[in-house]
Amino acid sequence: MQINKKTTGLSEQEVLESRSKYGENILTPPKRDSLWKLFFEKFNDPIIKILLVAVALSLVVSIVHNEYAETIGIFVAICLATGIGFWFEASAHKRFNLLNQVSDDVAVKVVRNSNVREVMRKEVVVGDIVVLETGDEIPADGLLLESISLQANESNLTGEPIVRKTTNEADFNTHATYPSNMLLRGTTVVEGHGMMEVSHVGDATEFGKVAQESGISTNVKSPLDLQLEGLAKYVGRIGGALAILAFLVMLTRNVIMPHVAGTPWFSWDQLDHVLQAFMVAVTLIVVAVPEGLPMSVTLSLALNMKRMLKTNNLVRKMHACETMGATTVICTDKTGTLTRNQMRVNESNFFALQNQQIGEVQNDLLIVESIASNSTAHLDTTDLQKPKTIGNPTEAALLLWLHSQKQNYLEFRENAKVIDQLSFSTERKYMATLVESDVLKGKRILYIKGAPEMILSKCSTIQEVSGTSALSEKKADIEKRLLDYQNKAMRTLGFGYKIIDNSETRPIADIIGNDCIFLGFVAISDPVRDDVPAAVSRCLSAGVGIKIVTGDTPATAREIARQIGIWNESDQMQNLITGPDFAALSDEEAFKRVKHLKIMCRARPSDKQRLVQLLQKHGEVVAVTGDGTNDAPALNYANVGLAMGSGTSVAKEASDITLLDDSFNSIATAVMWGRSLYQNIQRFVLFQLTINVSAILLVFLGTLLGRELPITVTQMLWINLIMDTFAAGALASLPPDPSVMKNKPRKNTDFIVTKKMMTNILGLGIGFVVFLLGLLYYFSDSDGNISRYNLSMFFTVFVFLQFWNLFNAKAYPSKQSAFSGMGKSLGFILVLALIIVGQVLIVQFGGEVFRTVPLALNDWLLIFGATSVILWIGEIIRLIKRLLHRN
Ligand code: ATP
């Protein structure tokens, strides 16, 4: 009965019935904070708290003067600031949840309608037969039907990293938390393989009961986040100090000095003066604290994550987008990343068939059985013309080959009873299976296959049509032929076997010995992906080094490296090393070698990890790709771990980004995205800090020199909104800029504000202040009073200076005109429109709340045109740079 179930699985009808009875295999998402809670959290912001105090105080003044405009204005501004902040956050949350759903879609191998195929994890139902392999995450709770050396990592449920799982009751561990034949959702297979029948899905699983699934964490702070928070604090402190200074100066001038001159301590007028001094201080603080800085990073990252998904990069840890831009070395896998991962057997050399027609394998069932049983891959033959491969691609290529020879691998696999198996691993580089052979009528046969040098070392004789002969005479010839294939970039695989006595009880590793019979070898081709050479050259010209880390042979790896353009005629053997040779080097020698290394072949995961660590010691920012369970440490150590979409769950869990299409091209794109992101944030910082410097100085000096606040609290709140939220939206949403790939990588430790930016900020900021103070002077009458009309003009001039300067920020640091690529910058145009409309509404209709009076059309046009000089100066400078560059 059980055997039957294992091979047939559920029918489509049964799947539907089970799903309607037991539900889908999804976990109810954790209850999210209510929108109200999110909204009220905004009031925890210290700036908002200060503003609330200001509202209360201004209310007192309002009651005294019976004049409520300013109070209402500040109140509206607070609502606006909290409301917009809240809106941004809520939409970012929504985005993260969407991304989480994508990462939730893991493919699971199930048997249905007598066929092995892949379905999404959420489609698994109670009663499904799931096929499990090393590295798989278990999709639901279930009972084992079959297990071969199966071990599970249950650490996220029970804390146990290695638990033996078996169907053999005699071996059951009675002390284990869960029965030895039970597998649990959320745990992973760390060794062996097997099949289970699903008993519980979704919330009914143990995992569903105890925990909610971990997804993308939105509150992990990136290094850049921390940098900007530091910067914001620093600027905030300067603003705070100036605010206190301004408060004291005004208090001395308007309260203490008059008191010395005879005014009583308390009068309504005195109170009014104190409150006004307080308002100025509040304004200064509000302007000074660039609270938008950290938010701009979050916003840019969230936007980037969404866009990167379109280029096949599923970002799991937010900071990875940004670190990708600082990457200096990429250590890449070969299969799938550089090549198409469409492995096909190109040549087969089975010596038993030498004198017969190669290709008619049916004559030698031993070979068919050897391939079919000594494998964990599957073919989904729903479409017999185009079978889909499932599992290890090398093994799948062999199954496809059998399929092309009209051999049904499943039949052979079912008929040869597996007694023990040593699954393939990159460390071992071979695989072995002990079976009760159907071909040899119940005799026990040990089949081995793997890297040819491994297999050859375990064989002493060679199978020929007429029998066996000594291997030693033929070895040199075989090795030469292998090298020929490897020089053509092909992967080679050797096969051997040995008949084992039925009474043998030792574990499989002990019985292999070195007296197996060599059956032959195959050469598997896997062409380089078409887009890879171009992507490689993009990375190289961007100053990003590329190292191939592969399990394949030196010859194969070198040929692939040559085809993609990283191996030149002039390269020597010092640019290539094998894993075992690398492991034999001392730390000091290895440290010296890694710098010039281009290829590490026959590499094992531990070599990869050491390579990453040594490169980091050289100060490199390393991105590493990985697909296997054993790659997890290297992925963890890397600055950015890139897991293959086709890789194991363990690898994905350890990674920062999943490459959905496995392709190197997507890595190159991610580097460009990362650099563009950094550039956009720099643009924002440049813009924001220029306003900060000019607004702080203006309010500070303006209040010290004049009588009236040059810019009121409510006006400042509007400016604050432009520079924090709007500008973050406008600049963070700029499309990626391919020209960033012409620069060398930045250092990861570089401060985001470069010297050039600092000069720019201070120069322009101070320039603005000088001009604006001159304007104030021009506007004031002989008593130092400025009319409301002129103050409205002044406010509008300030805003439009920033408006035009936003263009300059957009063009930074390129030599291109600010108008280039405008058509693709919709967010930017929208923000420009918002600023104009907002300013017109505020000035024309703001009245007492904003302390404005309507301006004449002529004045609007005059201000709009005159302030644009800022942009034209920038354009001329950029034009000159372009001309100089051309010359
Ligand atoms: P890549 O960088 O190409 O992804 P890899 O590190 O994944 O390479 P491995 O899969 O470790 O390389 O393969 C190393 C060698 O082991 C291959 O050249 C091949 O000879 C052998 N090999 C690969 N897959 C299997 C398998 N399933 N069974 C037996 N031997 C295998």
Side-chain angles (χ1 to χ4, degrees):
M1 175 65 197
Q2 241 181 28
I3 295 295
N4 207 3
K5 223 191 311 180
K6 267 192 324 203
T7 49
T8 56
L10 299 180
S11 66
E12 291 308 326
Q13 185 56 31
E14 285 169 327
V15 168
L16 292 179
E17 280 166 14
S18 169
R19 191 169 292 136
S20 70
K21 193 163 168 199
Y22 301 103
E24 282 187 291
N25 188 27
I26 42 180
L27 300 175
T28 317
K31 245 188 135 154
R32 265 181 279 139
D33 287 345
S34 75
L35 288 181
W36 279 113
K37 189 162 170 251
L38 259 175
F39 181 68
F40 282 115
E41 261 174 21
K42 293 272 105 212
F43 288 89
N44 266 336
D45 186 338
I47 297 286
I48 301 291
K49 280 186 190 154
I50 293 178
L51 282 173
L52 286 173
V53 175
V55 161
L57 289 177
S58 123
L59 189 65
V60 177
V61 185
S62 305
I63 294 170
V64 175
H65 293 286
N66 199 17
E67 170 61 77
Y68 293 90
E70 189 177 60
T71 315
I72 296 173
I74 302 179
F75 188 73
V76 170
I78 294 177
C79 291
L80 220 61
T82 47
I84 291 184
F86 159 75
W87 182 76
F88 266 110
E89 229 160 74
S91 64
H93 270 269
K94 222 165 92 189
R95 240 170 235 158
F96 284 122
N97 288 333
L98 279 180
L99 288 172
N100 253 338
Q101 277 171 16
V102 179
S103 71
D104 199 39
D105 278 350
V106 192
V108 176
K109 299 179 274 289
V110 292
V111 184
R112 283 189 190 166
N113 282 332
S114 309
N115 206 347
V116 180
R117 60 171 156 133
E118 285 186 323
V119 297
M120 286 297 138
R121 176 166 64 190
K122 62 172 186 273
E123 292 165 1
V124 171
V125 296
V126 171
D128 254 333
I129 308 297
V130 179
V131 181
L132 294 165
E133 265 186 79
T134 314
D136 285 351
E137 185 177 326
I138 294 157
D141 289 1
L143 288 179
L144 265 179
L145 298 179
E146 178 187 299
S147 79
I148 290 153
S149 325
L150 199 75
Q151 293 182 356
N153 175 351
E154 291 185 350
S155 53
N156 54 0
L157 269 183
T158 62
E160 282 295 315
I162 295 180
V163 185
R164 237 188 104 82
K165 296 288 176 182
T166 172
T167 48
N168 187 356
E169 281 183 34
D171 296 337
F172 278 15
N173 177 356
T174 47
H175 302 297
T177 321
Y178 294 103
S180 292
N181 64 340
M182 183 176 183
L183 292 174
L184 303 146
R185 178 180 175 135
T187 65
T188 45
V189 180
V190 284
E191 180 70 58
H193 59 105
M195 279 186 171
M196 72 166 199
E197 182 180 350
V198 174
S199 59
H200 297 90
V201 292
D203 290 336
T205 59
E206 293 301 305
F207 192 82
K209 285 185 210 156
V210 297
Q212 297 289 16
E213 236 172 325
S214 67
I216 295 170
S217 165
T218 53
N219 45 21
V220 180
K221 292 223 159 93
S222 75
L224 190 57
D225 250 331
L226 294 175
Q227 250 193 41
L228 288 183
E229 253 174 39
L231 181 68
K233 264 199 201 127
Y234 184 68
V235 179
R237 275 206 203 112
I238 296 180
L242 284 181
I244 293 173
L245 198 66
F247 182 72
L248 292 179
V249 169
M250 285 183 73
L251 212 60
T252 314
R253 193 175 64 188
N254 300 338
V255 180
I256 300 176
M257 302 279 266
H259 174 69
V260 174
T263 330
W265 265 126
F266 185 81
S267 74
W268 286 116
D269 258 1
Q270 294 287 67
L271 181 67
D272 200 14
H273 283 311
V274 175
L275 289 177
Q276 210 189 357
F278 181 78
M279 278 306 166
V280 172
V282 167
T283 315
L284 272 171
I285 290 176
V286 171
V287 187
V289 178
E291 69 272 18
L293 279 184
M295 191 197 74
S296 77
V297 180
T298 315
L299 190 69
S300 312
L301 289 174
L303 274 174
N304 247 39
M305 282 170 77
K306 191 177 152 205
R307 293 185 189 160
M308 281 175 75
L309 190 58
K310 288 198 189 127
T311 56
N312 291 311
N313 285 280
L314 172 68
V315 180
R316 302 169 67 92
K317 305 206 178 105
M318 259 214 302
H319 74 88
C321 304
E322 162 213 332
T323 319
M324 243 358 252
T327 299
T328 56
V329 178
I330 302 171
C331 297
T332 173
D333 270 344
K334 178 179 70 66
T335 306
T337 315
L338 301 175
T339 65
R340 291 189 203 156
N341 206 9
Q342 289 167 359
M343 296 205 200
R344 296 287 178 272
V345 173
N346 204 285
E347 295 283 346
S348 58
N349 285 266
F350 288 105
F351 300 101
L353 301 171
Q354 227 169 24
N355 298 327
Q356 303 177 11
Q357 269 184 312
I358 292 181
E360 288 182 47
V361 191
Q362 60 266 42
N363 289 337
D364 204 328
L365 301 176
L366 194 71
I367 291 166
V368 182
E369 188 177 79
S370 124
I371 292 176
S373 64
N374 189 17
S375 163
T376 56
H378 289 273
L379 288 186
D380 174 355
T381 48
T382 314
D383 177 358
L384 267 177
Q385 299 308 314
K386 264 198 194 154
K388 273 198 256 162
T389 60
I390 299 174
N392 182 304
T394 309
E395 289 175 7
L398 296 172
L399 297 186
L400 276 179
W401 182 62
L402 288 189
H403 183 79
S404 71
Q405 315 284 331
K406 310 266 178 303
Q407 295 292 347
N408 183 349
Y409 82 95
L410 213 50
E411 222 169 79
F412 280 83
R413 195 177 286 175
E414 281 303 316
N415 293 340
K417 189 172 163 243
V418 174
I419 299 164
D420 198 1
Q421 193 167 62
L422 210 57
S423 45
F424 171 77
S425 78
T426 303
E427 284 98 346
R428 242 180 250 134
K429 301 238 183 291
Y430 73 90
M431 170 172 183
T433 307
L434 179 63
V435 298
E436 224 167 75
S437 169
D438 183 49
V439 175
L440 288 192
K441 310 282 174 276
K443 274 196 186 153
R444 290 193 171 188
I445 307 188
L446 175 70
Y447 289 118
I448 55 173
K449 76 167 196 305
E453 71 272 19
M454 275 292 195
I455 301 302
L456 284 169
S457 73
K458 297 182 189 313
C459 295
S460 57
T461 46
I462 178 165
Q463 179 76 44
E464 289 182 307
V465 182
S466 51
T468 59
S469 65
L471 178 63
S472 51
E473 295 155 25
K474 305 252 162 63
K475 208 167 171 181
D477 178 50
I478 294 173
E479 280 168 349
K480 187 184 159 297
R481 285 160 65 185
L482 283 168
L483 192 63
D484 281 348
Y485 290 119
Q486 288 158 7
N487 281 333
K488 288 185 206 149
M490 288 190 211
R491 159 169 286 196
T492 46
L493 208 62
F495 296 81
Y497 78 99
K498 173 161 141 179
I499 296 179
I500 305 288
D501 199 73
N502 276 11
S503 59
E504 181 60 78
T505 53
R506 284 178 296 164
I508 198 162
D510 295 345
I511 54 178
I512 296 178
N514 54 9
D515 57 347
C516 295
I517 304 161
F518 193 65
L519 262 174
F521 65 89
V522 297
I524 298 175
S525 67
D526 182 14
V528 166
R529 284 171 180 263
D530 292 337
D531 52 4
V532 166
V536 165
S537 108
R538 270 198 293 156
C539 285
L540 293 179
S541 64
V544 181
I546 298 170
K547 301 189 193 299
I548 300 182
V549 183
T550 173
D552 251 322
T553 59
T556 315
R558 206 171 339 154
E559 175 55 19
I560 294 284
R562 195 193 60 75
Q563 288 181 15
I564 63 166
I566 63 170
W567 190 269
N568 312 315
E569 293 292 314
S570 59
D571 283 320
Q572 306 288 322
M573 282 316 280
Q574 69 166 34
N575 300 105
L576 180 149
I577 199 166
T578 65
D581 286 351
F582 185 63
L585 295 180
S586 71
D587 276 346
E588 213 174 299
E589 288 166 325
F591 179 73
K592 278 193 211 137
R593 270 306 283 279
V594 294
K595 195 83 187 157
H596 302 289
L597 218 53
K598 289 190 172 180
I599 297 173
M600 184 183 282
C601 45
R602 286 299 189 220
R604 297 149 305 178
S606 55
D607 305 320
K608 201 178 199 174
Q609 183 190 332
R610 189 174 183 217
L611 174 70
V612 171
Q613 285 173 306
L614 287 173
L615 283 170
Q616 284 171 334
K617 261 199 187 163
H618 276 285
E620 307 278 3
V621 178
V622 189
V624 171
T625 66
D627 51 3
T629 306
N630 300 335
D631 287 329
L635 289 171
N636 263 329
Y637 275 108
N639 299 77
V640 186
L642 301 151
M644 299 296 141
S646 60
T648 64
S649 307
V650 179
K652 287 184 195 162
E653 208 57 47
S655 70
D656 306 297
I657 295 181
T658 306
L659 296 173
L660 297 178
D661 63 352
D662 293 4
S663 169
F664 187 84
N665 191 32
S666 308
I667 307 179
T669 314
V671 173
M672 184 190 69
W673 276 103
R675 290 188 178 189
S676 296
L677 170 101
Y678 191 76
Q679 197 178 61
N680 285 346
I681 295 174
Q682 276 187 322
R683 290 167 170 164
F684 173 68
V685 171
L686 182 75
F687 177 74
Q688 152 101 271
L689 290 189
T690 310
I691 302 198
N692 264 45
V693 168
S694 50
I696 296 174
L697 286 180
L698 185 72
V699 174
F700 182 66
L701 296 175
T703 34
L704 293 195
L705 300 177
R707 296 213 182 132
E708 192 134 24
L709 274 175
I711 289 194
T712 66
V713 180
T714 35
Q715 288 173 351
M716 252 323 154
L717 288 173
W718 163 241
I719 293 170
N720 207 41
L721 193 66
I722 295 179
M723 70 181 190
D724 268 346
T725 315
F726 287 4
L731 297 170
S733 66
L734 288 179
D737 174 6
S739 74
V740 290
M741 294 299 270
K742 291 192 190 124
N743 308 330
K744 294 284 159 254
R746 72 180 151 94
K747 286 211 190 73
N748 210 18
T749 48
D750 277 355
F751 191 53
I752 183 142
V753 185
T754 60
K755 262 205 193 118
K756 197 172 139 205
M757 283 168 73
M758 206 60 204
T759 326
N760 217 316
I761 291 165
L762 289 179
L764 205 58
I766 293 173
F768 279 158
V769 173
V770 172
F771 169 73
L772 288 166
L773 285 178
L775 197 66
L776 269 186
Y777 180 74
Y778 171 76
F779 278 148
S780 34
D781 60 21
S782 50
D783 295 335
N785 290 327
I786 306 173
S787 70
R788 279 288 153 99
Y789 193 88
N790 283 344
L791 281 172
S792 306
M793 293 264 280
F794 181 78
F795 168 47
T796 308
V797 167
F798 187 95
V799 168
F800 274 103
L801 281 178
Q802 312 309 331
F803 173 89
W804 292 114
N805 199 33
L806 193 57
F807 285 82
N808 287 333
K810 174 182 175 287
Y812 180 87
S814 73
K815 301 178 198 68
Q816 295 308 315
S817 156
F819 294 99
S820 77
M822 197 57 107
K824 283 191 224 135
S825 320
L826 278 182
F828 188 81
I829 296 172
L830 187 75
V831 167
L832 293 179
L834 264 177
I835 297 177
I836 297 183
V837 172
Q839 184 67 16
V840 170
L841 287 179
I842 288 174
V843 173
Q844 300 302 101
F845 306 104
E848 280 303 315
V849 175
F850 280 96
R851 199 194 63 188
T852 52
V853 289
L855 299 181
L857 182 63
N858 272 352
D859 287 328
W860 276 109
L861 294 179
L862 176 72
I863 296 175
F864 192 77
T867 49
S868 71
V869 169
I870 287 295
L871 165 65
W872 305 126
I873 294 176
E875 284 294 294
I876 290 171
I877 295 176
R878 286 187 285 274
L879 179 71
I880 293 174
K881 277 190 190 162
R882 278 203 297 276
L883 290 177
L884 286 180
H885 184 74
R886 204 178 298 160
N887 292 339

